[in-house]
Amino acid sequence: MCLIFFYSGIALLLTGQGLNHIAKDAGDFIRGFSEGLTIGAVLLLVAAGLVLSFRLRCPNCGKRYARPRWNVFHTDYCTNCKKPFVYDDETEDNP
């Protein structure tokens, strides 16, 4: 969820700023739409930060700021307790 919020926020930010750059002399509707996209992007990036800081924790020691994982072929370890993060599609003995 954190990664989805983050990448969606980046995409909205780039789209809003690109639209603002392309339609500089356009009407107020396009300018307002571009500003709305930028505000939505900032909200998504803040949501990603909140999910990262409050919801992603190590299941073993409870330390905050566990890294979000996208690569299913790589095992990540907690920086505090050094135990591997076991996800619901893995077992502890067979990552």
Side-chain angles (χ1 to χ4, degrees), residues 8-20:
S8 298
I10 294 296
L12 275 181
L13 185 64
L14 292 175
T15 303
Q17 293 303 314
L19 187 63
N20 194 20

Side-chain angles (χ1 to χ4, degrees), residues 77-88:
Y77 296 90
C78 177
T79 57
N80 190 36
C81 67
K82 308 294 187 229
K83 291 185 180 179
F85 293 122
V86 179
Y87 294 91
D88 58 352

Side-chain angles (χ1 to χ4, degrees), residues 39-76:
I39 291 170
V42 169
L43 291 176
L44 280 172
L45 291 173
V46 167
L50 289 174
V51 168
L52 176 66
S53 63
F54 292 112
R55 299 301 296 170
L56 291 179
R57 294 178 177 219
C58 175
N60 300 310
C61 67
K63 182 184 180 221
R64 288 186 176 175
Y65 301 108
R67 292 185 315 175
R69 178 178 125 169
W70 197 264
N71 186 359
V72 295
F73 301 110
H74 177 72
T75 302
D76 289 325

